[in-house]
Amino acid sequence: MSDEEWQVIEPLMPRPTWLTGNGGRPEKYCRRLIMDAIRYVADNSCKWRNLPADFLAPWRTVHSIFTRWWQDGDLYALHNDLREQIRIADGREPEPSAGIIDSQSLRAAETVAAGSRGYDAAKKVQGTKRHVIVDTLGLLLVVIVTAASVQDRDGAKPALKRLRDWYERITLVWADGAYAGKLVTWAKKHVRLTLEIVKRSDDVSGFVVQPRRWVVERTLSLISQRRRCVRDYERLSEHHEAMVLWAMIISMGRRLARSASPKST
């Protein structure tokens, strides 16, 4: 990452326990180096074992830190802090009041466990499915990975529950026609969310940009720019969720770095 990106991200990184007097040894490898190595995997989709030697840190060390940051919640904390900074810079409240939900089916590599994959008959995809909820700026709020055979309405329930637990201000969620039906009533009753269905008009043909829905579709496209997220390569579904967060962290870090850098004269 560039120096400008690191200036944005470094203050948001979790503080090592040894710096706060809670024990532990000083870290052996530079945090910027570790983050660059993880971003390299997310962006280029190489195997962990094939990390270039230029990063100096062994791949096992990089992978263990990747796992620890996810399990400790540090990755979500970093992601959410970056999202709040972008929202504030855009003149919004730090926490959103509305969201948009959608899903995306992915082909699964041979490394994905058989119990984690399924067949999406509508998309004709054998693999997994990621269910995402974004705010009105297209910034990620929730991501959950299931087998591709899970229907959108079924995958939406745990995603909406997580949304309600994490974001108290949100009262409205837009969705496409795949989420219509009983899910609308369920969302109102169990998670106190209004699920508004944005349907495509029957009077038009060809590609037409749908209100609100295009925002989440743009985010799914943005996530897929990182090669590790084009397919599902992760043995554990939570690791693919982590890779989606890293894809958004890369995007948001660059966005904040561009806005913070002085304009050329």
Side-chain angles (χ1 to χ4, degrees), residues 18 25 62 64 89 106 115 144 159:
W18 65 272
R25 295 179 298 176
V62 178
S64 66
L106 306 167
I144 289 180

Side-chain angles (χ1 to χ4, degrees), residues 10-23:
E10 194 273 337
L12 307 178
M13 296 287 291
R15 289 182 59 81
T17 56
W18 65 272
L19 281 179
T20 59
N22 293 325

Side-chain angles (χ1 to χ4, degrees), residues 203-261:
D203 301 331
V204 299
S205 60
F207 175 77
V208 178
V209 176
Q210 301 298 316
R212 300 297 181 181
R213 283 167 47 183
W214 69 270
V215 176
V216 65
E217 290 165 358
R218 181 187 61 182
T219 302
L220 291 172
S221 175
L222 184 66
I223 292 170
S224 297
Q225 290 181 9
R226 311 276 79 85
R227 292 183 180 178
R228 191 78 175 196
C229 296
V230 173
R231 297 179 67 186
D232 190 350
Y233 296 94
E234 313 306 326
R235 194 170 301 278
L236 301 177
S237 59
E238 54 263 33
H239 283 181
H240 184 77
E241 294 176 18
M243 283 299 175
V244 172
L245 291 182
W246 278 109
M248 294 301 298
I249 287 171
I250 293 173
S251 174
M252 292 189 295
R254 291 175 178 173
R255 179 173 173 177
L256 288 169
R258 286 195 299 267
S259 62
S261 60

